[in-house]
Amino acid sequence: MALFTRNRIAVLCALPALMVPGIELPLVLWARHSFLALHPDYMDDPPTISRAINDPLVGTPFARLILVITALIAAVVPVLAWAYLAAIARSEAGRARRHTMYALLAAMLVCQVAASFGMVLTTQYTFATDGDLHMEGSYVFFVFQALAILVGASLCRMLLHEKRRLAIPDADWHFHPAMHRFRFFFGLVIASLAILYGVLFVLKDHALPISAYAVQVVYTQTEVVVIGCFVLFLGSYAIDIHHMVRNDKLRPRSLASRTAEDAER
């Protein structure tokens, strides 16, 4: 039996995307649990992730693993960019619509790079070392990650429309057939949660008709949910990468194959 079958290679290629939520979800939960174990007085004042990583015993390993996650995202982004470019070219949409999709792809990539930078910044600098840089990194991470997902969801919607309009068979489409639809709706959910988190961020410092403890609990739990959704969205691309590698869809189409396909239409 061959050691490197196509399916095994596809699994290995999809692994970086899958590892993003596979590492970050347990990491975030570990950070909060470890901080509360070290500082039980915070049981009555649930800590944010920012507060939790303020303790070096939590923050140091957390920051190191965030660098690993950032490297994994950096490994995945070029593959996705290539796949999106191929899908846009395959759609054969009009010039204006195609330029719109290219612009969305560029915006998504820029926002993702900015979000990754913010994620590194906010974990390398804590309140204990440089609170201003930490907060700036936090703002950049949350805002640009939400924008990257929202723009990506919009691009998925447009590509799905083009696939249906041209009746392109699933076998000829780069992405997994169901994932465009999933990411569009999941992206809208994430954008709504990110807005809710921003509202709670503002409201938590104001007098409200409910207890401050309840507000803090909702705020900190929403933070975990939003971060979890961020990385699950990125991790969902593992399905597409596995699908594309297993079915050899990342290889550029030759001129002969494109000519044959055009003749069949």
Side-chain angles (χ1 to χ4, degrees):
M1 181 181 293
L3 179 60
F4 292 105
T5 63
R6 185 175 294 277
N7 186 58
R8 289 177 180 174
I9 294 173
V11 170
L12 289 174
C13 291
L15 195 58
L18 191 61
M19 288 175 65
V20 172
I23 295 175
E24 185 151 347
L25 286 174
L27 180 63
V28 167
L29 296 175
W30 169 84
R32 291 193 63 190
H33 174 77
S34 298
F35 181 82
L36 288 172
L38 292 168
H39 306 276
D41 50 310
Y42 272 89
M43 291 296 294
D44 295 328
D45 184 21
T48 60
I49 302 303
S50 293
R51 183 63 59 191
I53 65 175
N54 202 46
D55 188 319
L57 293 176
V58 177
T60 300
F62 191 96
R64 289 172 180 170
L65 283 172
I66 288 297
L67 291 177
V68 173
I69 293 170
T70 304
L72 292 171
I73 294 174
V76 171
V77 166
V79 179
L80 297 182
W82 176 261
Y84 272 114
L85 286 170
I88 293 171
R90 185 72 174 83
S91 72
E92 299 185 0
R95 177 180 295 182
R97 190 170 182 83
R98 187 175 297 185
H99 285 177
T100 298
M101 289 192 284
Y102 283 134
L104 286 174
L105 175 59
M108 182 182 74
L109 296 176
V110 169
C111 288
Q112 185 57 58
V113 170
S116 297
F117 172 76
M119 183 171 64
V120 171
L121 188 65
T122 198
T123 52
Q124 296 299 312
Y125 295 95
T126 65
F127 289 129
T129 55
D130 194 322
D132 290 338
L133 280 178
H134 172 79
M135 290 306 299
E136 288 175 9
S138 181
Y139 295 147
V140 169
F141 167 62
F142 278 100
V143 171
F144 281 97
Q145 191 64 72
L147 287 175
I149 289 172
L150 185 59
V151 173
S154 300
L155 180 58
C156 285
R157 180 68 172 178
M158 293 185 71
L159 286 171
L160 181 60
H161 173 77
E162 289 300 312
K163 179 183 180 299
R164 289 173 173 173
R165 184 179 67 84
L166 296 169
I168 300 174
D170 292 345
D172 295 336
W173 195 245
H174 287 78
F175 292 85
H176 191 281
M179 295 310 293
H180 283 325
R181 186 182 303 105
F182 165 77
R183 266 191 290 272
F184 173 68
F185 288 109
F186 191 32
L188 295 182
V189 170
I190 295 172
S192 300
L193 287 171
I195 292 172
L196 173 62
Y197 177 69
V199 171
L200 291 171
F201 177 78
V202 174
L203 291 180
K204 67 182 178 62
D205 296 324
H206 293 75
L208 298 172
I210 57 177
S211 69
Y213 174 77
V215 174
Q216 184 69 9
V217 169
V218 174
Y219 170 66
T220 54
Q221 293 302 320
T222 302
E223 177 190 38
V224 173
V225 171
V226 170
I227 293 174
C229 288
F230 281 169
V231 293
L232 286 172
F233 187 94
L234 295 172
S236 72
Y237 282 109
I239 297 173
D240 298 273
I241 294 172
H242 179 271
H243 173 77
M244 288 184 282
V245 174
R246 185 176 184 180
N247 295 282
D248 198 23
K249 293 185 176 183
L250 288 175
R251 184 182 302 176
R253 293 186 302 159
S254 66
L255 178 60
S257 66
R258 289 198 298 268
T259 303
E261 288 177 5
D262 292 339
E264 291 176 359
R265 293 196 182 108

